[in-house]
Amino acid sequence: MPLDILLAISRVESGRNVGGVLSPWPWTVNQAGDGAFFDSLGDATDHVLRALADGQRNIDIGCFQINIRWHAAEFTSLEAMFDPDQNAHYAARFLLKLFDEFGSWDAAIGAYHSRQSGAATSYQAKVSALLATVPQTPRAASFSDDQPARSALRSNRYPLLRPVGAGGLGSLVASAQDRPAVPLFR
């Protein structure tokens, strides 16, 4: 997941001016379009619990404004949904699913906000404007309809699954040119 996209989305979703810098704010709540920043997890949680007790479910929370109605089942508690790390990890997993579905980061970013084209396009434009202000990371390419998005190049962080260099380590199976094959069981 490209870090620059996550940084831009978090600033669009919960950006707050902190010391002259637009930064994501973990204790952010948007309740049916009415956004609010809270000073603590306790204050934000109390606000959401009151709204839930009143029967409201269209509530976005945390740095990435994860919606309770659609995504709460993916978390163990309301506090977990607010937790910046868990909120960000879920947002990244969700964006990767959207990328796989739509085949491009631009479309995935739009769908993160809405599957309605007008709202998605407007949101994607906001995120794109902020992308110019955050550090860039490599992105997987967009794909046409005849190429599955699953074939996107993603960073391989598993050293045992990297190509083997001459005499080097890195794969569970050495290539024939590096050393002769040895049977696993004798």
Side-chain angles (χ1 to χ4, degrees):
M1 178 72 229
L3 180 59
D4 57 329
I5 291 175
L6 286 174
L7 290 171
I9 288 174
S10 69
R11 290 174 178 158
V12 168
E13 292 291 346
S14 66
R16 182 178 188 184
N17 188 326
V18 178
V21 177
L22 184 63
S23 301
W25 191 255
W27 323 131
T28 303
V29 176
N30 186 311
Q31 185 178 328
D34 185 24
F37 297 109
F38 293 90
D39 292 331
S40 69
L41 171 62
D43 291 345
T45 302
D46 289 347
H47 176 83
V48 171
L49 289 173
R50 283 191 302 276
L52 290 170
D54 289 342
Q56 296 182 31
R57 296 289 180 267
N58 187 18
I59 305 169
D60 301 326
I61 64 173
C63 295
F64 288 88
Q65 293 293 275
I66 306 297
N67 188 278
I68 288 176
R69 177 188 299 156
W70 305 115
H71 305 283
E74 301 296 325
F75 295 87
T76 57
S77 67
L78 184 59
E79 290 80 8
M81 271 187 95
F82 270 112
D83 178 84
D85 287 336
Q86 292 183 56
N87 197 270
H89 280 102
Y90 180 78
R93 286 191 311 272
F94 184 55
L95 279 159
L96 284 170
K97 286 180 188 177
L98 292 170
F99 176 84
D100 285 346
E101 179 181 344
F102 289 97
S104 78
W105 287 117
D106 286 345
I109 290 165
Y112 182 86
H113 176 71
S114 175
R115 289 183 179 256
Q116 296 175 351
S117 65
T121 300
S122 175
Y123 181 80
Q124 194 279 327
K126 289 177 188 176
V127 173
S128 288
L130 281 177
L131 276 171
T133 68
V134 297
Q136 298 294 302
T137 56
R139 295 190 196 157
S142 297
F143 296 92
S144 62
D145 292 339
D146 59 343
Q147 283 183 299
R150 290 241 179 241
S151 67
L153 296 175
R154 293 197 180 140
S155 174
N156 180 354
R157 296 174 297 158
Y158 302 98
L160 292 177
L161 299 177
R162 291 189 179 144
V164 176
L169 299 174
S171 178
L172 293 173
V173 180
S175 68
Q177 67 194 34
D178 289 331
R179 55 184 78 89
V182 177
L184 185 59
F185 299 103
R186 294 179 193 237

